[in-house]
């Protein structure tokens, strides 16, 4: 394995993570650290265990083995709903928004989750600053024309953008994105990659992607999973030069 | 109530109706209360009007969990019944004045909801319905067994509140219209509180849980805690309905706790329109009026109400009010 030395302290660290579903081992002994401020991409062919790893570090379910640390604190068993307020946000591989709420209501709810969770009294209309913030997040992801459309009526690419806006609502220090370009047209993909690059300027981003080519240009570091194991990690150049990685991706066309 | 932009296709009269409905939606509390205020004059006798008020309130409380949060409980009779019995027992056995007795009923229902909700909230879907059903039946048998306190199968008799003893006012519940407005005062307060709750950030949590629980969790919602809280609040409203029913009937029938009463809430909410503000009252009104009219003709009124219920589920799943809103917003 390449020994990567970075000056930055890791914001998140996974220690020999393993995950079994019944008798099937989806992930085995994966130890990685995500340096603060960098954009790390997790790549690997279909079924490599990327989403499983992603779900573990975003708290969707606890690992069968290993530990997860965020800013030095053990969060292995922390319930997922606490993650947002710790500063960890995620987007889902399969679009997961509130279909019958408008785009603005979607984002405003996510913002509200940070401060007013059990307020049963104050009318929502009083929180004008939440609406303003929601509007500015929608603008950031390119949905400023669509405030009052129901999420279910948005185009696929727009729903993916809304998904990102929801994740940004908690102003995360660590943003976890699972295949944000899944099912997008080439133009939408380019726009999404630009957005991710700009987001990465202000926070740590971990991006799952199975198209190696897409992330080569924009990530600082790559992690390659294969059959549930860590195959390689390092800078894009190092990973590209790695023989095993070449073998795994060989014959996969333009990926 | 979101009435998404009524469009051009409506006729002039349709548009006027849509305008009226959207006005009602914007002033939902005033609309409900305005209607209920003149309501007893539209009915042949006041007792029916009082029933509709009480069961409308009961269905309203139930609708918080069912319609707004999207969780089916089959145990709400427990909260209606606990409210009834606690209020009744306080009055009959301990001579507590009616106002604190109602408070006791509400608190008892809230505690019941806290326990039942706490046990059931980790299950989902049909399991949640079954667990709440089973636990509410436990409450039924418990109360049934405590014969000294509850009167057992005969129910609790003698919940006689006639003179309200409000200084400066000579009010007696023997007068049916007075009784109606007595109950109305509590329902009005409850409807206002309910609307306020829906409009609060917590109201948004309910919607979000109904729409997409996993996303709500990822956004930072403590799903179990929020569901539990909604369940308890819902129980408080149903408890108030039960407490008022004890005073209205002057007895507490053991059937208040029976799962049939749980089923009533489901039927009324569905009939009126789940997740709509007016739905529960529309549902209670339809259900009880039909019962009242059809029992004059045949004792098998449940057959007809059942058929109507099935008809609505199959052809108008949004319920009466929900369908009306849907038509007008197209
Ligand atoms: N809940 C589960 N139960 C059983 N097996 C699972 C479960 N989740 C994932 N797996 C299996 O674990 C393996 C890894 O799946 P995972 O979704 O992590 O892959 P991935 O790298 O994200 O793939 P893709 O590129 O298709 O998204 C697959 O073989 C999958 O079938
Ligand atoms: Mg995946």
């Amino acid at each position: 394995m390449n020994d990567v030395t970075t000056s930055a302290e890791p914001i998140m660290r996974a220690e020999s993570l393993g995950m079994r579903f019944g008798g099937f081992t989806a992930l085995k002994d994966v130890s990685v650290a995500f340096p603060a401020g960098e954009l790390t991409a997790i790549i690997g062919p279909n079924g490599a265990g990327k989403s499983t790893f992603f779900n573990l570090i975003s708290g969707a379910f606890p690992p069968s083995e290993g530990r997860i640390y965020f800013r030095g604190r053990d969060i292995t068993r922390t319930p997922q709903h606490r993650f947002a307020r710790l500063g960890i946000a995620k987007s889902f591989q399969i679009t997961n928004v509130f279909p019958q709420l408008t785009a603005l209501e979607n984002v405003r709810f996510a913002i509200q989750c940070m401060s007013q969770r059990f307020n049963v009294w104050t009318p929502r209309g009083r929180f004008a600053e939440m609406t303003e913030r929601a509007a500015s997040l929608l603008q950031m992801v390119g949905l400023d024309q669509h405030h009052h459309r129901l999420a279910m009526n948005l185009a696929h690419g727009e729903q993916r953008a809304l998904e990102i806006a929801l994740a940004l609502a908690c102003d995360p220090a660590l943003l976890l994105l699972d295949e944000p370009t899944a099912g997008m047209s080439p133009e939408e993909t380019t726009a999404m990659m630009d957005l991710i690059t700009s987001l990465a300027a202000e926070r740590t981003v971990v991006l799952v992607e199975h198209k190696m080519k897409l992330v080569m240009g924009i990530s600082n570091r790559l992690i390659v999973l294969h059959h549930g194991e860590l195959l390689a990690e390092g800078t894009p150049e190092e990973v590209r030069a790695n023989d095993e990685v070449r073998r795994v991706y060989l014959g996969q066309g333009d990926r | 109530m979101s009435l998404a932009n009524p469009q051009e296709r409506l006729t002039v009269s349709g548009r006027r109706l849509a305008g009226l409905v959207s006005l009602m939606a914007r002033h939902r509390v005033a609309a409900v209360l305005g209607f209920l205020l003149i309501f007893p004059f539209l009915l042949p006798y006041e007792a029916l009007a009082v029933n509709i008020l009480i069961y409308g309130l009961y269905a309203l409380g139930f609708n918080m969990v069912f319609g707004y949060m999207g969780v089916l409980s089959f145990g709400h009779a427990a909260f209606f019944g606990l409210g009834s019995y606690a209020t009744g027992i306080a009055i009959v056995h301990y001579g507590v004045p009616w106002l604190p007795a109602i408070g006791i009923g509400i608190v008892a229902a809230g505690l019941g909801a806290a326990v039942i909700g706490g046990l059931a909230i980790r299950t989902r879907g049909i399991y949640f319905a079954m667990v709440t059903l089973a636990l509410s039946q436990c409450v039924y048998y418990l109360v049934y067994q405590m014969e000294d306190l509850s009167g057992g199968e005969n129910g609790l008799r003698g919940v006689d509140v006639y003179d309200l003893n409000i200084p400066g006012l000579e009010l007696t519940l023997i007068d049916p219209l007075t009784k109606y407005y007595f109950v109305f005062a509590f329902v009005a307060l409850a409807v206002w509180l309910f609307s306020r709750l829906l409009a609060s950030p917590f109201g948004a949590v309910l919607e979000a849980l109904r729409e997409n629980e996993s996303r709500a969790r990822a956004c930072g919602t403590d799903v179990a805690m929020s569901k539990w809280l909604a369940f308890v609040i819902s129980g408080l409203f149903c408890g108030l309905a039960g407490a008022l029913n004890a005073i209205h009937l002057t007895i507490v029938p053991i059937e208040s706790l029976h799962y049939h009463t749980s089923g009533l809430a489901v039927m009324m909410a569905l009939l009126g329109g789940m997740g709509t503000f007016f739905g529960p009252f529309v549902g209670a009104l339809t259900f009880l009026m039909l019962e009242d009219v059809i029992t004059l003709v045949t004792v098998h009124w449940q057959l007809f109400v059942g058929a109507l219920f099935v008809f609505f589920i199959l052809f108008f799943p949004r319920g009466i009010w929900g369908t009306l809103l849907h038509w007008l917003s197209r």
Side-chain angles (χ1 to χ4, degrees), chain B residues 179-224:
Chain B
K179 182 151 82 182
Y180 180 87
Y181 287 110
F182 169 76
V183 174
F184 172 82
F186 285 96
V187 172
L189 186 67
V191 163
W192 175 69
L193 281 173
F194 196 87
S195 174
R196 184 101 196 198
L197 256 158
L198 290 182
S200 76
F202 190 67
V205 174
L206 298 180
E207 282 169 23
L209 288 176
R210 181 187 62 200
E211 287 291 300
N212 189 340
E213 196 176 302
S214 85
R215 178 37 107 172
R217 184 181 291 113
C219 284
T221 307
D222 185 340
V223 172

Side-chain angles (χ1 to χ4, degrees), chain A residues 93-195:
Chain A
Q93 178 171 6
I94 297 163
T95 305
N96 200 5
V97 295
F98 302 107
Q100 309 243 38
L101 301 186
T102 66
L104 190 70
E105 285 166 345
N106 264 269
V107 182
R108 201 170 47 194
F109 173 73
I111 294 170
Q112 175 201 300
C113 282
M114 290 304 100
S115 57
Q116 302 287 337
R117 292 174 320 138
F118 296 113
N119 183 337
V120 296
W121 194 243
T122 322
R124 278 178 244 170
R126 297 251 176 96
F127 301 103
E129 73 289 349
M130 286 190 192
T131 311
E132 279 163 32
R133 241 202 100 223
S136 79
L137 284 176
L138 285 176
Q139 176 165 27
M140 190 188 284
V141 301
L143 290 177
D144 38 343
Q145 302 300 312
H146 306 292
H147 284 193
H148 300 295
R149 279 174 66 198
L150 297 184
M152 62 189 229
N153 294 336
L154 294 174
H156 175 75
E158 292 163 349
Q159 290 191 5
R160 301 296 301 171
L162 180 59
E163 178 93 33
I164 305 284
L166 285 176
L168 289 174
C170 70
D171 196 13
L174 175 61
L175 180 62
L176 309 171
L177 305 170
D178 194 359
E179 297 205 28
T181 63
M184 280 189 162
S185 70
E187 301 80 55
E188 287 171 335
T189 302
T190 313
M192 180 57 81
M193 282 304 170
D194 289 346
L195 174 63

